Amino acid sequence: MKFKAILFALAAVVGLAACNGCSNFQTKSPQVTVFEIKQHYDLALGVAVAYDNLPPCNPALPGPDAPPIVCAKASVVKQIKLAKDVASPAVNGAEAAVRDPNFDKSAVDAIVASANQAVIALTAITVALQVK
Amino acid sequence: MGNVSVVLALLNQLLALVPTGSELYLAYKEQKAKLEGIVSEGRDPTDAEWDALDASVREKEAFIDRAAASL
């Protein structure tokens, strides 16, 4: 039987927030758009940190030393780090681009879309987190 | 009886997550309010607002790196 903790319900909120950002690119300035994407990234990281903070799962332990029911899988901790390592340069690159007064405005859409996709990839992991 | 103790253990562990969940929800609401303020004022984020967000992100990224490195 699988349970979803209150904590992980928030991941869905983060997921919805990330998608809202996708539809509003044209109505906000590039800086505001990237700021919003970075906020979503920060929230997704918050969920990931909470997951990493759980006691580690270790199915090899028997009896009273059995792993806690709510635990962090090593494979998921690694997956989160990989997604973070992809998203971080994309988001920071987008921030650097839009904060540069001489930035190439024609490249904004591609930069923003790339950063948003990277954050969505991380968000997808946090939304899928479940507590066994 | 065994099932009861498992359920109680689970409830205890889920309750321990509530403060973290509340903090995340609060952070979500604060960020949303911050963004709405910026949009309604029709301006770009200030350097201080960027710096605060960057610092928050860096702190969490460092934690994730440490967690993965400790495996």
Side-chain angles (χ1 to χ4, degrees), chain A residues 4-18:
Chain A
K4 281 197 172 184
I6 294 167
L7 167 67
F8 298 105
L10 286 166
V13 173
V14 175
L16 288 173

Side-chain angles (χ1 to χ4, degrees), chain A residues 36-52:
Chain A
E36 185 176 12
I37 290 171
K38 195 151 197 177
Q39 281 188 327
H40 298 159
Y41 178 55
D42 188 44
L43 286 169
L45 289 175
V47 175
V49 164
Y51 183 84
D52 285 356

Side-chain angles (χ1 to χ4, degrees), chain A residues 14-38:
Chain A
V14 175
L16 288 173
C19 285
N20 282 341
C22 313
S23 59
N24 293 330
F25 285 168
Q26 304 306 319
T27 59
K28 293 172 184 165
S29 76
Q31 273 210 41
V32 172
T33 300
V34 173
F35 191 81
E36 185 176 12
I37 290 171
K38 195 151 197 177

Side-chain angles (χ1 to χ4, degrees), chain A residues 29 38 41-42 84 88, chain B residues 13 31 44 54 56 61 65:
Chain A
S29 76
K38 195 151 197 177
Y41 178 55
D42 188 44
K84 185 274 291 178
S88 182
Chain B
Q13 291 178 30
Q31 288 196 354
D44 283 332
D54 289 346
S56 175
E61 286 179 338
D65 286 338

